[in-house]
Amino acid sequence: SIPSTLYNMRAITDGLRTIFEREGISRAHLFGPSLGGMIAQVFAAHHPELTGKCIFSHTTLPTPELGARMRKARLPLKLMPLALFRWQTLRSLRNNLKNEIPDITTDESAIWLARFQNAFGNKLEKADILASVDLQVDFYEQTDLSDSFLRNEPERVMVIFHENDPEFGAVAAATIQKFYGNAQCHGLPTYGHLGAMIRTDEIIELIKLHLTE
């Protein structure tokens, strides 16, 4: 979960920089899926000296329209009873698991449903929910990546998406690709946003390819 005190991207990325310093990491490759892709883009923009190659997966660029949408959703989330939110989240995850990975086995499904129950049914708190929303709003509305060094070094960037991802599919990926100087972009025909986090073999192979080029 995201600590409720880290409600903006700069605080998150400065925290990561501190971890790098304490662990003696001089440079690292970045892989950021979904919200992690937003964080990775901000980290790279502010800390180029610590950034190697980057893989942005199933994510997007700062978009004020999406920020407005998240802002609008925040109040109902704040007022919603935690038990109801947990129930809705688990129901959505169960449905997406079945719809996005039709070939999932019974054993696989049981394992992931147990993980979802532990993370979202037992541990998820209202502060976690609101911190995640605030972090995304900050990215969409306040982040400026126009000076990111990656725009002049597109060979460092790979963009990955799944074609049936309703949120961050082909359109979002093409926008990121163009923004970073026609960086590599790979669309995968199977699964979706949640499925991509579970069936990772294709993504891992693409990451290996990018890091060895």
Side-chain angles (χ1 to χ4, degrees):
S1 64
I2 300 168
S4 58
T5 53
L6 298 181
Y7 60 89
N8 65 68
M9 283 287 170
R10 194 59 188 266
I12 288 281
T13 55
D14 284 351
L16 290 174
R17 180 201 61 199
T18 299
I19 292 173
F20 274 48
E21 292 172 350
R22 288 183 177 179
E23 296 299 322
I25 301 171
S26 59
R27 177 173 287 189
H29 302 307
L30 307 179
F31 170 59
S34 193
L35 175 59
M38 303 175 197
I39 295 171
Q41 290 179 80
V42 177
F43 182 89
H46 290 293
H47 305 293
E49 74 285 358
L50 300 176
T51 302
K53 290 188 174 182
C54 299
I55 301 95
F56 305 135
S57 171
H58 304 78
T59 191
T60 188
L61 292 171
T63 310
E65 294 79 9
L66 291 177
R69 191 172 77 182
M70 294 295 293
R71 235 179 235 286
K72 187 175 180 180
R74 191 185 192 281
L75 180 59
L77 289 176
K78 185 177 181 179
L79 298 176
M80 183 183 296
L82 179 59
L84 176 58
F85 183 85
R86 286 176 169 177
W87 177 81
Q88 286 189 342
T89 300
L90 287 171
R91 184 182 66 171
S92 176
L93 289 169
R94 282 194 296 268
N95 291 338
N96 289 344
L97 190 66
K98 182 178 180 180
N99 294 334
E100 293 187 18
I101 313 178
D103 61 342
I104 193 168
T105 66
T106 301
D107 288 344
E108 277 185 303
S109 180
I111 290 170
W112 281 100
L113 289 175
R115 290 178 176 177
F116 293 154
Q117 177 63 46
N118 183 55
F120 299 102
N122 301 334
K123 297 180 178 179
L124 185 68
E125 298 294 341
K126 186 64 68 70
D128 301 325
I129 303 163
L130 298 178
S132 178
V133 170
D134 290 341
L135 188 61
Q136 291 176 71
V137 169
D138 180 72
F139 175 77
Y140 290 137
E141 296 185 347
Q142 303 299 325
T143 300
D144 182 4
L145 299 174
S146 60
D147 292 332
S148 174
F149 82 101
L150 292 174
R151 302 192 71 186
N152 295 317
E153 299 185 32
E155 68 278 3
R156 292 207 198 193
V157 178
M158 174 181 281
V159 182
I160 303 174
F161 71 97
H162 275 81
E163 293 172 0
N164 60 345
D165 185 338
E167 290 293 327
F168 305 131
V171 174
T175 303
I176 299 175
Q177 178 190 28
K178 183 178 179 180
F179 184 81
Y180 290 112
N182 289 318
Q184 287 190 63
C185 188
H186 296 272
L188 304 174
T190 52
Y191 312 126
H193 198 84
L194 176 64
M197 310 302 167
I198 296 173
R199 292 292 178 81
T200 59
D201 290 350
E202 292 175 302
I203 293 176
I204 289 172
E205 290 305 312
L206 287 172
I207 292 172
K208 290 179 179 177
L209 175 66
H210 187 47
L211 297 184
T212 55
E213 288 179 335

